[in-house]
Amino acid sequence: MLLARQLEKLLSKSRVSIEPATLAQHATDKWFASHPPEVVVFAESTAEVSKLLKFAYRRQIPVTPRGAGYGYVGGCVPLRGGIALSLARMNRIKEIHFADSVAVVEPGVITATLQDAVRKKRLFYPPDPASRKDCSLGGNIATNAGGPRCLKYGVTRQYVLGLEVVLANGDILRTGGRTHKNKTGFDLIGMFVGSEGLLGVVTEATLRLLPLPPARATLSASFRTFRQAAKAVQEIFAAGFLPSALEIADSFTLAAAGEYLGTHLAPKGSAHLLVDLDGQPESVTSEVHALARLLEKLKPIGARTALGEADCEELWNLRRAFSQSLKATGLTKLNEDIVVPRSKLTDLAAFAEKLRKKYGYPIACFGHAGDGNIHVNIMAANYHADPAVYKKVGLALDELFQQVLAWGGVVTGEHGIGIAKQRWWPDATTKVSRAVHASLKHALDPHGILNPGKFVK
C-alpha cells in the first residue's frame, strides 16, 4: 500500500502497521460502530505526531487520534478511513512534583496508573471514570471524563493546567502551564478538553494534583423504592453534607448484580445508595456517624458503614460490577449517560418505567445521583440482528432524550457525542452554538482532516 510505504519512510517501519488484526482493533471502540483505517500509526513523540500531521495536512488525508479505545460513543472510529493515530505508546509519566502539586504526563498513560503513582507520594488525582484501569488520560481529556468523585472534586477539566497540542497543520501549541491560576488570554485549555479529537492532538498534559485525603468512609443503604432513595439524596445535601461520591441504583441493576455476583452480595430492596466521604480521620468518623443517623431516620431496609480504604472498596465492588452484571444478562446494553437536574431523579426513574411499559425493554438506571448524571441503560435482545428492534429502541431513545432536554438536562455528561449521539446533536444545541463550533473547527482544521465524519463538520 502506497500510504503505508510513505509513512514508513516518513517515520519508521516500527511505527506503521497494515496488519489485518491491527486495523480491526483500531476500527472501533466500546460502542458498536466499526470502520477500518487504511493504516495505523503508533506515534512515540510529539515530533512524530507533528511530522505525521504536516504530511496528512498537505495531502488532506483523514487522521483519527485515539487512546486506549475505551470510549462508549464511537468517538475514535475512523469513519473516513485514512490514518488511525494511536497515542498508546506515548505512555510516560514525565514528572510528579509534590511541592508544585502537578503531574506531567503523555496521553497514553492509563488513568489508574497515574492515580497509583501519585498516591505513593501522598498526592491525589480525583477524576475516576469507571474504566480507569483501562482508559487513558488522553481519552479522558478528549471527552472531559468524570466519574463518581466529580460530585465533590469536579471533572477532568478542573485538573488540566497545561496542554501541548499538535494542530491539524502540524504546528505545536503550548497553552497553560504548571501554576494553579492562569488568566493569560482565552481559555484555550477549556476549548481542547472535551473536543473529542476534532481540534488537535494532545501530546502532553500538566495535571493538577491535590493532597491525598488521609481517611475515607463509605455508607451503603438500601430502600424499598427509588423515590425513597432519591429523597435521601436531597436530605443528605439539605443537612449540609458534601460527599466525595453519591451513587444510586435501581431494582433491575441490583437484580442483575445479584445474578452475576451471587444474591448474598447484592443488597435487598428496589434502590441502593452508596455514599463516600473523605478528609481528616476525626472529621470523616464524625461525618459518617452523623450521616448514618440521618439515613436511619429515612427507614432504609439495610445499611452498612465502612471505615478505611480496604473496607470501603469492599462496598464499592458492587458498584464497580454494575456494567459487567448488565452485560452478563445476554442483552445488548445501550448505555446513555444523560444528566438531569438533581430534583428530577425520581421523575427520570418514573419516565424510564413508562418507556419500559411502552416499548417492552428492561431499563436499568444507575450512576451519579449527586450531580444528576444517571446512566440509563436500555436492555434489548437482538438489537443488531433485528431491524425492527433497532428501530424500536431508536424511538425509545428519541423519547428519552426529548424528555431530558425538556427538563433542562443534557444528552451526555461524560461520554461525549461521537457517533452514537450525532442524531440528537441539533436538538441538544442551538443554531448559534453549532455555528460557533463549526467556526472553531474550520479555523483550526480548515481541511477537516481530524476525526472527520463526527458531529462538527
Side-chain angles (χ1 to χ4, degrees):
M1 178 188 283
L2 176 60
L3 178 57
R5 288 198 299 270
Q6 290 174 324
L7 291 171
E8 286 174 354
K9 185 177 179 181
L10 180 74
L11 301 169
S12 80
K13 278 193 174 185
S14 65
R15 306 293 195 270
V16 180
S17 177
I18 55 171
E19 290 294 322
T22 303
L23 295 179
Q25 180 186 354
H26 292 78
T28 188
D29 59 7
K30 295 304 174 183
W31 197 55
F32 313 114
S34 178
H35 191 285
E38 293 175 54
V39 61
V40 179
V41 170
F42 296 92
E44 296 189 13
S45 70
T46 300
E48 289 183 355
V49 174
S50 176
K51 191 182 291 187
L52 172 70
L53 286 179
K54 286 177 180 177
F55 170 89
Y57 186 80
R58 288 194 299 269
R59 292 160 179 79
Q60 299 188 26
I61 299 170
V63 178
T64 302
R66 61 182 288 130
Y70 264 78
Y72 290 108
V73 292
C76 62
V77 174
L79 285 177
R80 299 289 186 266
I83 301 166
L85 171 57
S86 171
L87 286 308
R89 292 183 186 175
M90 295 182 65
N91 59 3
R92 292 182 301 154
I93 299 175
K94 293 183 172 181
E95 181 186 6
I96 298 171
H97 197 290
F98 183 86
D100 287 350
S101 294
V102 299
V104 181
V105 301
E106 291 183 327
V109 174
I110 299 301
T111 305
T113 300
L114 175 69
Q115 289 175 329
D116 292 343
V118 302
R119 187 181 186 86
K120 291 173 183 175
K121 296 180 180 290
R122 294 179 292 115
L123 290 166
F124 182 41
Y125 181 69
D128 61 332
S131 58
R132 64 194 181 92
K133 293 182 179 179
D134 301 292
C135 63
S136 64
L137 290 164
N140 293 175
I141 291 168
T143 59
N144 194 20
R149 283 198 293 254
C150 65
L151 168 62
K152 179 177 180 179
Y153 290 105
V155 294
T156 298
R157 173 62 190 96
Q158 278 75 60
Y159 296 88
V160 182
L161 298 175
L163 286 178
E164 178 183 78
V165 183
V166 182
L167 303 179
N169 65 359
D171 286 351
I172 299 171
L173 167 70
R174 292 181 177 86
T175 183
R178 60 195 294 131
T179 60
H180 289 235
K181 283 185 177 180
N182 188 338
K183 180 55 194 82
T184 311
F186 296 151
D187 181 12
L188 298 183
I189 293 172
M191 183 174 69
F192 286 104
V193 176
S195 63
E196 301 188 37
L198 292 164
L199 301 181
V201 179
V202 172
T203 52
E204 182 185 280
T206 302
L207 303 175
R208 178 168 73 110
L209 304 175
L210 301 180
L212 179 68
R216 179 185 175 194
T218 301
L219 194 147
S220 166
S222 302
F223 295 88
R224 289 181 176 81
T225 68
F226 195 93
R227 180 176 292 276
Q228 286 178 306
K231 182 177 186 296
V233 171
Q234 297 297 342
E235 292 290 336
I236 288 169
F237 290 120
F241 291 98
L242 180 59
S244 55
L246 208 175
E247 300 287 292
I248 197 167
D250 70 359
S251 57
F252 188 90
T253 304
L254 294 173
E259 190 72 24
Y260 181 70
L261 297 172
T263 52
H264 65 291
L265 292 176
K268 297 176 183 178
S270 296
H272 178 253
L273 277 188
L274 198 62
V275 191
D276 234 39
L277 302 166
D278 62 12
Q280 294 297 320
E282 297 82 2
S283 61
V284 168
T285 301
S286 172
E287 275 194 74
V288 75
H289 291 318
L291 183 58
R293 290 193 296 272
L294 170 67
L295 290 180
E296 189 60 36
K297 293 178 183 177
L298 301 176
K299 300 193 172 13
I301 59 176
R304 286 180 62 190
T305 299
L307 288 166
E309 193 70 20
D311 289 345
C312 289
E313 281 301 304
E314 185 179 334
L315 291 183
W316 271 86
N317 285 337
L318 173 73
R319 167 63 179 89
R320 300 196 202 285
F322 283 163
S323 284
Q324 197 57 45
S325 301
L326 292 172
K327 291 175 184 175
T329 63
L331 301 172
T332 298
K333 174 178 173 288
L334 294 137
N335 180 4
E336 307 302 336
D337 64 320
I338 57 92
V339 190
V340 296
R342 206 161 55 200
S343 62
K344 296 294 184 182
L345 284 179
T346 303
D347 295 327
L348 176 62
F351 189 78
E353 177 62 15
K354 175 183 169 184
L355 290 180
R356 183 193 67 79
K357 290 178 178 177
K358 180 175 180 178
Y359 291 98
Y361 300 117
I363 298 180
C365 296
F366 71 89
H368 319 315
D371 54 30
N373 181 195
I374 304 299
H375 295 271
V376 178
N377 300 266
I378 297 180
M379 309 293 294
N382 301 317
Y383 177 72
H384 300 294
D386 189 336
V389 173
Y390 183 88
K391 181 178 180 181
K392 195 175 177 183
V393 169
L395 293 173
L397 289 175
D398 285 340
E399 285 198 42
L400 172 66
F401 290 134
Q402 286 166 10
Q403 182 59 72
V404 166
L405 292 172
W407 282 329
V410 297
V411 301
T412 176
E414 49 193 12
H415 295 166
I417 300 294
I419 304 169
K421 292 188 170 72
Q422 271 185 304
R423 66 188 266 194
W424 298 287
W425 165 249
D427 293 332
T429 52
T430 66
K431 184 177 180 180
V432 173
S433 173
R434 293 192 297 277
V436 171
H437 277 76
S439 295
L440 289 170
K441 172 70 170 171
H442 183 73
L444 294 175
D445 182 16
H447 298 324
I449 68 166
L450 287 177
N451 206 3
K454 302 308 193 303
F455 61 102
V456 181
K457 310 300 181 188

